[in-house]
Amino acid sequence: MAPATSGDSSGSSLHEHVQRQRIGEDAKMLMDTDAADDLASHYSALSEDKNASPQIREAAALFSLAEDALQDEDADIALERATSALELFRQSGDKQGVQDTIRLVCGAHRLKNQPDQAIEKATQELAQFKQVGDKRGQGCMHFSLAEGHLARYKTDDALQSLSEALQLFRDIADKKMEVSALLVTARAYVRKYRSDDALQAARDALSVAAAAGDKKMQSKANLSIAVTDIEIGATDEALQATDAAVALARDAGDKKSEVAALEMLANVQLLKEMPRKALTIAQQALALAREIEHRRGEAGALQTAVIALLEKGETRRAQQLAQEGLEAFETANHARGQAMAQRALAYAYYDKHDFDAAVQAAEREVGLLQDLGDKRAQASASLLLSALQAEVRKPDECTTAAQQAAELFQELQDRKGEAIAIYAQVFPHLLKEATSDALTAADEARAMFTDVGDRTWEARTLWASSMAHAQKEDFEAAQGKAADAQAIFEEVGDKKGTATAMLVVADMH
């Protein structure tokens, strides 16, 4: 375990704070990057159906290849193949093929950071489907509009479009599309920190998928439930949901979903402070991802395995695994994998107390994510960079990275992420002995955490305020803030936070 830092407000290590943030963001990213409808198996079978016309068989084969490319985050290939498939489906008069492939085209545009083009395409096609009264076509386009709105961070607009899509899918009893739309609805509610609504949408998706006997979609629904459980700190429930997701993916023979479920399960074990179990599971995910050449899954599993090794105190093995992974992703020219390997290296260097090398790795991660246009991952990476800059006593650089994270989270309409980034600005102020600025940042962050209902982070900001008051030698105020933090830590069951706050309160008597 990495050592504690001077900028740690709950007695945990830098590693633990950023690790928890990473797991939450990675869980959301697993939802956000699932841009396809998982129809490749259907179209793969169609491509081999001798009763289908050669044109439809060719279109179906292109569809399968396009969806695979989309899931591997190869947007250019996905768009090229989907566009070719769409033309063939149109020529053959296959309505469902046209509808599903338009969604693939929209998904590829979103992956290329072109949400406006995805929205424009869906809007144009929606008008055509309305003209002919095609309910499935309309539902698919409302669904694509919703995903475009999410990509533009317009969550309320997305929820409105999803409501319309769901009604249309229910009208025609298209269970698979209903489940897919419910899962994206859960994702939208997670973005708005409406945990109860997110859980309900995910449970509804699970119920519909179970009634339809669709194990693959049941697995995805359980992962969606786990994401919300992680967000609210319900790790036991998240463990139960991810266990189910793994079993269902295996039963369905869906190896990509199994990799995602194993990665999530390993992360939950890390949250439960079970690094040995986490390592075993992450290694299973890594081996399976490499077997099926699933680069995105490989990157996530590698990063989680590195974290598990560090938690076990095996820093050398962790660094070696991260370095080998980075070299493999560089050879494959896989930018996402390179970024995730750089973060894993940053953690490994941190554990070795090689803070300058950790900062350099974190800077490279931020640059790669900026090139990818992934603002959510970039914001999370900027938080890590800020924390590392505090470790090497560079308050100005620390503030700059935290401010960049805050701006990105604000653009993403992520109030909690923005609050964490503001909280991160307390510590460079303390390093510069600008205690008034530190207190202002802590108070602002605390108000935002109160607004989103996160009591643990509220306690951390109180602890940060206590540090600032102590720096001003206002020990009475410092003691009061520490006591308030202790009370909240006890309320939420944070034993480490409670113990640390108790020691400090006692120290000030």
Side-chain angles (χ1 to χ4, degrees):
M1 174 71 72
T5 81
S6 62
D8 192 334
S9 66
S10 68
S12 306
S13 67
L14 164 81
H15 176 277
E16 182 176 350
H17 269 215
V18 179
Q19 165 67 357
R20 283 184 173 268
Q21 177 70 6
R22 178 194 73 84
I23 290 173
E25 292 303 323
D26 278 4
K28 291 175 187 174
M29 189 169 72
L30 278 173
M31 299 173 78
D32 286 348
T33 56
D34 192 7
D37 293 326
D38 268 326
L39 298 172
S41 58
H42 166 74
Y43 283 100
S44 179
L46 181 59
S47 72
E48 298 174 0
D49 184 352
K50 294 180 180 178
N51 294 320
S53 71
Q55 195 171 46
I56 287 180
R57 291 173 65 184
E58 183 183 355
L62 285 166
F63 182 101
S64 297
L65 292 170
E67 188 172 271
D68 284 343
L70 194 63
Q71 290 179 333
D72 283 337
E73 299 185 278
D74 192 338
D76 290 330
I77 294 296
L79 183 58
E80 178 187 333
R81 290 172 176 168
T83 301
S84 297
L86 179 58
E87 182 178 350
L88 290 169
F89 277 130
R90 285 196 196 278
Q91 291 172 2
S92 66
D94 187 320
K95 292 181 179 179
Q96 183 167 331
V98 168
Q99 295 157 11
D100 293 336
T101 312
I102 292 169
R103 281 191 43 73
L104 262 187
V105 169
C106 291
H109 279 304
R110 291 196 310 275
L111 194 58
K112 285 169 66 69
N113 298 306
Q114 298 171 341
D116 289 343
Q117 289 182 239
I119 289 172
E120 182 181 359
K121 178 68 172 175
T123 302
Q124 290 171 351
E125 299 289 349
L126 176 60
Q128 297 296 318
F129 289 124
K130 281 183 176 179
Q131 277 188 352
V132 297
D134 187 327
K135 285 193 172 184
R136 188 179 188 277
Q138 292 175 60
C140 286
M141 294 310 100
H142 279 298
F143 192 1
S144 289
L145 281 172
E147 292 172 315
H149 291 316
L150 277 178
R152 295 181 66 200
Y153 322 120
K154 294 187 175 181
T155 311
D156 290 332
D157 291 343
L159 286 167
Q160 179 59 42
S161 293
L162 284 163
S163 177
E164 296 182 51
L166 280 166
Q167 186 57 58
L168 287 159
F169 291 142
R170 286 165 179 159
D171 286 347
I172 60 173
D174 190 326
K175 301 298 185 184
K176 188 173 187 65
M177 294 307 294
E178 181 183 355
V179 172
S180 294
L182 281 167
L183 292 177
V184 176
T185 301
R187 182 205 310 176
Y189 282 131
V190 166
R191 290 262 190 101
K192 292 180 71 69
Y193 294 101
R194 290 170 57 177
S195 301
D196 289 344
D197 290 328
L199 274 175
Q200 187 59 57
R203 287 169 179 162
D204 287 347
L206 180 59
S207 177
V208 175
D214 190 330
K215 291 184 177 181
K216 181 186 291 189
M217 298 308 286
Q218 288 179 68
S219 178
K220 287 179 175 291
N222 272 294
L223 278 186
S224 183
I225 290 169
V227 168
T228 307
D229 287 334
I230 288 171
E231 187 67 33
I232 63 177
T235 51
D236 288 340
E237 290 81 356
L239 180 61
Q240 182 178 356
T242 46
D243 272 333
V246 171
L248 285 159
R250 284 175 177 163
D251 286 348
D254 183 357
K255 292 188 176 182
K256 283 188 178 179
S257 290
E258 184 180 347
V259 169
L262 285 168
E263 181 190 342
M264 183 85 78
L265 180 58
N267 277 319
V268 174
Q269 294 289 5
L270 285 174
L271 287 174
K272 292 179 70 66
E273 300 183 359
M274 302 291 287
R276 290 183 183 277
K277 287 185 178 180
L279 178 59
T280 298
I281 296 164
Q283 288 172 330
Q284 291 173 9
L286 185 58
L288 183 56
R290 286 173 171 169
E291 175 191 324
I292 62 175
E293 298 182 347
H294 180 23
R295 293 292 186 186
R296 167 62 187 86
E298 180 183 350
L302 181 137
Q303 188 181 92
T304 303
V306 168
I307 297 297
L309 284 168
L310 293 173
E311 293 287 343
K312 289 176 79 261
E314 297 186 46
T315 305
R316 182 175 296 180
R317 278 185 66 196
Q319 183 180 346
Q320 182 179 356
L321 180 61
Q323 187 62 49
E324 289 173 354
L326 176 60
E327 291 168 3
F329 289 126
E330 286 176 340
T331 299
N333 196 29
H334 193 277
R336 173 81 62 188
Q338 292 174 52
M340 298 181 82
Q342 290 287 4
R343 172 166 288 211
L345 274 175
Y347 283 132
Y349 286 132
Y350 178 84
D351 258 37
K352 289 179 64 178
H353 295 194
D354 189 346
F355 301 128
D356 288 332
V359 166
Q360 290 169 13
E363 288 174 337
R364 287 191 289 269
E365 181 196 10
V366 170
L368 286 161
L369 292 169
Q370 188 171 11
D371 290 343
L372 281 170
D374 188 337
K375 294 181 180 180
R376 181 170 296 281
Q378 186 186 341
S380 177
S382 295
L383 278 179
L384 172 61
L385 178 58
S386 175
L388 291 169
Q389 295 285 18
E391 194 67 49
V392 294
R393 298 297 190 270
K394 292 184 176 180
D396 292 337
E397 290 85 345
C398 173
T399 299
T400 297
Q403 288 174 339
Q404 289 171 346
E407 290 170 3
L408 287 164
F409 280 124
Q410 188 175 46
E411 187 176 346
L412 292 163
Q413 297 182 9
D414 186 334
R415 293 272 295 167
K416 182 176 174 181
E418 184 182 355
I420 294 172
I422 292 170
Y423 162 88
Q425 295 173 43
V426 172
F427 306 109
H429 290 314
L430 290 177
L431 287 172
K432 297 171 74 172
E433 298 189 3
T435 51
S436 295
D437 291 337
L439 286 168
T440 298
D443 290 342
E444 183 180 355
R446 183 189 173 195
M448 295 176 73
F449 287 129
T450 301
D451 186 46
V452 300
D454 194 310
R455 297 286 281 164
T456 299
W457 277 103
E458 185 181 348
R460 288 170 180 162
T461 56
L462 283 166
W463 177 242
S465 294
S466 174
M467 293 171 63
H469 282 298
Q471 191 175 74
K472 290 176 66 177
E473 298 187 358
D474 185 349
F475 298 113
E476 183 177 351
Q479 183 182 357
K481 295 292 185 183
D484 290 343
Q486 177 189 338
I488 295 176
F489 282 134
E490 288 176 347
E491 174 193 324
V492 300
D494 187 329
K495 294 180 181 179
K496 290 183 179 179
T498 300
T500 304
M502 287 177 65
L503 286 173
V504 174
V505 171
D507 227 19
M508 291 184 184
H509 274 297

